[in-house]
Amino acid sequence: MDSILKEIEGLTPLTAFGKVAGVQGLRLEVSGIVERLHVGSRLRVEGRVGAPVSCEVVGIEGKRAICLPFGPLDGIGVGCPAHLEADDMAVFPSQHWLGRVVNAMGEPIDGKGPLVQGLARYPLKGSPPAAHSRQRVGGKLDLGVRALNTFVTCCQGQRMGIFAGSGVGKSVLMSMLARYTASDISVIGLIGERGREVQEFIEDDLGPEGMARSIVVVATSDEPALVRRQAAYLTLALSEFFRDQGAQVLCLMDSVTRFAMAQREIGLSGGEPPTTKGYPPTVFSELPKLLERAGPGAGAGAITGLFTVLVEGSDFDEPIADAVRGILDGHVILDRAIAERGRYPAIDVLRSVSRTMPNCNNDAETQLVTRARRLLSTYEDMAELIRLGAYRKGADPAVDEAIHYYPMIDGFLSQEKQDRTTLEECYGILEQIIGSSVQDIQTDAAEANES
């Protein structure tokens, strides 16, 4: 009741409305109330047939406001009334939202009845905590994936990007993280996702146990650009609510690229000039506003953000990937060549970086991981010669050592979808693998030379 009263207090006794002056594609032009509008204002347009359509002002040209709809424009024509609604969107989440699936408007789509509204108002386009008031990142976060726990260790409140081309196993890795990460709450945003995969993700990947501590926000690829963008904003707004309750929140978003594509559609429709690869300037200004909302809060709670980036043509330096990589606290690279060899998850640990990892490991763990990286790097440098048979064992002790350990480390990095390995187990297994004596390696080289 208190939340309803707050909404009533925010209502204005006056109703302002204009009229549709033009329709072109998915773009509406509204005249008559331009003086009352600004970029971000919401309008409700009443068509000649069908239900009213909500729209958002994305630009203003002279005496007309440029609007994009949140739904189909069937029945909308010149002269249809456009009523001014709230200037910004907000949600009133509560603990009862856990275990639910919602759309970009915060409405339930799982058939389990209405959502219980909370008292606190959380705007969709919220601001991150002030830099001077934020806590530092916390301790290590157990992600349950061996390659990440050891070589790309993540901390509580860190923001990581998962960069991959299409069909390299990004969604499978995301499902493992959603199921195995040791967090209090998971808020999962499926932005521009394939519609058929949503139910599979909820039932097969999350399961009843994972779903009980999660909220899933869904905006499929066939929905308008405003809906896809708003789903990303809602994902962060819900994460902020649980962070403010003192919880350790895992925010998974798949994917930031589709958010950027939605913003590109919106910007171009609003008359922005295209710049790098057709992306208008607002794409690169909205990305940090979205991603900076994740991270440590001012209190005990924190949002650990794991954001996927779909790189075009496996180009990891394309504009969106490059911009996101500069904002986040680390990146995980999924390599198609590794996937083609049959090793999943196809994480390239040599090209993946966690910027908080050096400060969260002790000396023994750092030395262990550094040695494993050195072995992998040495083997990769000589990989072509080794595969061609041009290298003779015994020619270089460092290469002999790398050849000896590489199959075992490669097997360690391979992990089934149903397999979970804790942080302690990861370091223990890796220590056992590279703990062989130098004498064993020299014996292998001598036997190779004799043969």
Side-chain angles (χ1 to χ4, degrees):
M1 181 61 70
D2 291 338
S3 62
I4 295 174
L5 291 175
K6 286 186 178 181
E7 287 192 65
I8 294 174
E9 290 173 1
L11 296 177
T12 174
L14 299 176
T15 300
F17 69 94
K19 291 185 177 182
V20 174
V23 181
Q24 184 177 8
L26 293 178
R27 166 174 157 159
L28 289 179
E29 297 182 5
V30 176
S31 62
I33 53 169
V34 175
E35 295 78 7
R36 299 284 302 272
L37 301 178
H38 58 78
V39 174
S41 294
R42 298 295 177 103
L43 297 171
R44 186 184 75 257
V45 180
E46 297 180 3
R48 296 187 175 92
V49 295
V53 179
S54 292
C55 300
E56 180 175 317
V57 177
V58 298
I60 297 176
E61 294 179 356
K63 296 293 185 179
R64 294 185 176 185
I66 308 303
C67 307
L68 288 182
F70 283 91
L73 291 178
D74 299 339
I76 304 295
V78 175
C80 289
H83 298 269
L84 178 62
E85 291 187 321
D87 283 346
D88 62 340
M89 288 287 291
V91 288
F92 294 82
S94 69
Q95 295 286 342
H96 298 281
W97 287 40
L98 288 174
R100 303 300 299 271
V101 183
V102 300
N103 61 14
M105 307 296 179
E107 301 166 342
I109 56 174
D110 53 8
K112 296 181 180 179
L115 293 168
V116 178
Q117 302 297 309
L119 299 178
R121 181 180 185 274
Y122 279 79
L124 295 186
K125 294 184 180 180
S127 300
H132 64 274
S133 66
R134 283 190 134 169
Q135 302 294 326
R136 299 183 56 153
V137 295
K140 292 182 183 180
L141 181 65
D142 187 356
L143 300 177
V145 179
R146 289 193 287 268
L148 298 181
N149 275 349
T150 50
F151 290 90
V152 201
T153 309
C154 183
C155 294
Q156 293 176 345
Q158 186 173 348
R159 300 164 303 162
M160 295 276 285
I162 300 174
F163 296 74
S166 57
V168 186
K170 171 173 52 65
S171 297
V172 175
L173 178 59
M174 287 288 287
S175 69
M176 295 172 69
L177 295 171
R179 181 185 295 181
Y180 299 139
T181 301
S183 61
D184 299 325
I185 306 292
S186 296
V187 181
I188 303 167
L190 303 179
I191 314 302
E193 191 58 83
R194 303 177 186 91
R196 67 165 185 83
E197 292 184 351
V198 173
Q199 204 63 20
E200 294 175 6
F201 178 84
I202 293 171
E203 295 180 359
D204 301 340
D205 299 332
L206 276 181
E209 184 178 348
M211 192 63 205
R213 63 181 184 93
S214 303
I215 301 174
V216 180
V217 181
V218 176
T220 55
S221 59
D222 61 316
E223 296 189 80
L226 281 178
V227 175
R228 283 176 273 140
R229 186 186 69 170
Q230 182 158 305
Y233 291 144
L234 177 60
T235 301
L236 268 300
L238 296 178
S239 300
E240 289 165 344
F241 165 75
F242 288 103
R243 178 203 63 196
D244 293 345
Q245 306 300 309
Q248 294 297 324
V249 182
L250 174 67
C251 176
L252 292 173
M253 185 177 294
D254 186 13
S255 70
V256 171
T257 305
R258 296 191 184 108
F259 166 82
M261 290 178 174
Q263 182 61 43
R264 176 170 62 183
E265 292 181 39
I266 296 168
L268 294 177
S269 297
E272 286 189 70
T275 54
T276 309
K277 280 201 172 181
Y279 288 102
T282 52
V283 171
F284 301 100
S285 64
E286 286 296 324
L287 280 173
K289 291 178 183 178
L290 177 76
L291 300 176
E292 280 289 345
R293 293 169 66 180
I303 302 172
T304 302
L306 298 177
F307 306 96
T308 68
V309 180
L310 182 64
V311 295
E312 298 179 4
S314 297
D315 178 11
F316 292 93
D317 294 321
E318 58 95 19
I320 299 302
D322 197 47
V324 172
R325 191 165 51 242
I327 298 168
L328 300 180
D329 307 318
H331 52 270
V332 178
I333 303 295
L334 300 187
D335 194 322
R336 189 176 303 278
I338 296 176
E340 290 170 350
R341 294 205 309 262
R343 195 246 282 172
Y344 290 97
I347 299 172
D348 188 339
V349 296
L350 296 178
R351 297 166 62 196
S352 301
V353 174
S354 171
R355 293 191 174 97
T356 64
M357 183 176 174
N359 296 326
C360 69
N361 278 354
N362 58 41
D363 291 340
E365 292 168 346
T366 300
Q367 292 174 7
L368 180 68
V369 175
T370 300
R371 186 176 178 222
R373 279 182 174 273
R374 188 181 300 118
L375 291 168
L376 288 173
S377 178
T378 301
Y379 183 90
E380 292 296 340
D381 288 343
M382 299 292 292
E384 288 299 323
L385 293 177
I386 295 170
R387 294 190 184 103
L388 291 172
Y391 175 79
R392 276 185 79 84
K393 287 188 178 181
D396 186 336
V399 178
D400 292 340
E401 185 182 31
I403 293 173
H404 175 81
Y405 286 121
Y406 182 81
M408 293 180 283
I409 298 177
D410 192 62
F412 168 78
L413 295 175
S414 179
Q415 186 171 345
E416 295 291 334
K417 182 179 176 180
Q418 298 78 17
D419 184 16
R420 181 181 187 272
T421 309
T422 64
L423 270 167
E424 294 76 12
E425 292 172 341
C426 289
Y427 287 111
I429 296 171
L430 187 59
E431 187 174 12
Q432 290 177 358
I433 288 174
I434 61 177
S436 303
S437 65
V438 175
Q439 183 179 356
D440 295 335
I441 301 168
Q442 293 174 343
T443 301
D444 291 344
E447 292 175 352
N449 287 333
E450 292 175 0
S451 61

